[in-house]
């Protein structure tokens, strides 16, 4: 696992957001959550957090609001519902198309875009995508090996300004 420095702290180049392991998203699975944390440590992930900052799975292209648990906050989130939810699907589709052309998952493209911001911003970046499943953790860590081309960044960079709906 690559590392990065955040001030005087050296951490893994990618973290693990653990908020999805809580009841915020609905039913929890203690054993699965502990297995995911254990696997993260095995993979060298040393930066753990409880905040979900990557859109609650939005850019993974795997969220179907109609199938979410009744207590899952995304059922009420303005970015996932109504007209805003429909408009935001164009963003998901753009990410999906870049991912399809690369043969990687949309979540990996989203994370690779975050990594690409290091050069533009001139600061270290260590994304903390949240998951409670080992398979998604492994997919997220594999995103460290995805380097986007200038053409792909030209497609993805404007998407952030196109998000519709309040964050919460």
């Amino acid at each position: 696992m690559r590392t990065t420095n955040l001030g005087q702290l050296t951490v893994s180049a990618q973290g693990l957001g653990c908020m999805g392991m809580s009841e915020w998203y609905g039913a929890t699975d203690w054993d699965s959550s502990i297995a995911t944390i254990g696997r993260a440590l095995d993979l060298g992930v040393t930066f753990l957090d409880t905040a979900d900052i990557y859109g609650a799975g939005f850019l993974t292209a795997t969220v179907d609001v109609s199938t979410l648990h009744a207590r899952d906050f995304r059922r009420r989130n303005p970015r996932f519902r109504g007209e805003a939810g429909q408009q935001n699907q164009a963003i998901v589709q753009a990410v999906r198309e870049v991912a399809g052309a690369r043969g990687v998952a949309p979540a990996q493209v989203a994370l690779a875009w975050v990594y690409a911001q290091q050069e533009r911003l001139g600061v270290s970046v260590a994304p903390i995508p949240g998951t409670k499943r080992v398979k998604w953790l492994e997919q997220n860590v594999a995103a460290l090996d995805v380097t986007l081309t200038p053409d792909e960044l030209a497609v993805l960079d404007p998407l952030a300004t196109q998000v519709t709906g309040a964050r919460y």
Side-chain angles (χ1 to χ4, degrees), residues 57-63 79 84-102 104-107 109-110 152 155-156 159-160 162-163:
F58 182 69
L59 295 177
T60 64
T62 61
V63 177
R79 292 187 178 173
Q86 291 172 354
Q87 290 176 1
N88 289 333
Q89 285 303 310
I91 298 167
V92 174
Q93 185 58 35
V95 173
R96 184 182 284 131
E97 288 171 6
V98 170
R102 293 286 307 256
V104 299
V109 168
E152 291 166 333
V155 169
L156 298 170
L159 298 178
Q162 298 173 20
V163 176

Side-chain angles (χ1 to χ4, degrees), residues 16-152:
L16 171 63
C18 301
M19 185 176 174
M21 297 176 192
S22 73
E23 294 181 352
W24 185 255
Y25 289 96
T28 61
D29 180 343
W30 177 262
D31 293 334
S32 177
S33 295
I34 294 300
T36 299
I37 292 170
R39 181 66 177 135
L41 295 172
D42 291 344
L43 291 168
V45 176
T46 60
F47 194 32
L48 308 179
D49 188 51
T50 58
D52 185 355
I53 61 171
Y54 292 103
F58 182 69
L59 295 177
T60 64
T62 61
V63 177
D64 177 355
V65 177
S66 69
T67 64
L68 296 175
H69 187 277
R71 291 192 343 218
D72 191 312
F73 88 99
R74 292 172 292 183
R75 290 181 73 81
R76 299 173 304 281
N77 184 293
R79 292 187 178 173
F80 285 84
R81 298 180 346 169
E83 187 176 323
Q86 291 172 354
Q87 290 176 1
N88 289 333
Q89 285 303 310
I91 298 167
V92 174
Q93 185 58 35
V95 173
R96 184 182 284 131
E97 288 171 6
V98 170
R102 293 286 307 256
V104 299
Q108 291 173 310
V109 168
L111 287 167
W113 179 84
V114 173
Y115 302 138
Q117 302 314 298
Q118 290 184 118
E119 186 175 323
R120 182 178 68 81
L121 298 172
V123 297
S124 297
V125 174
I128 311 170
T131 187
K132 56 185 173 184
R133 305 274 191 272
V134 169
K135 71 178 186 174
W136 301 132
L137 167 72
E138 291 173 344
Q139 180 186 82
N140 291 342
V141 169
L144 286 165
D145 296 325
V146 177
T147 301
L148 298 170
T149 67
D151 288 343
E152 291 166 333

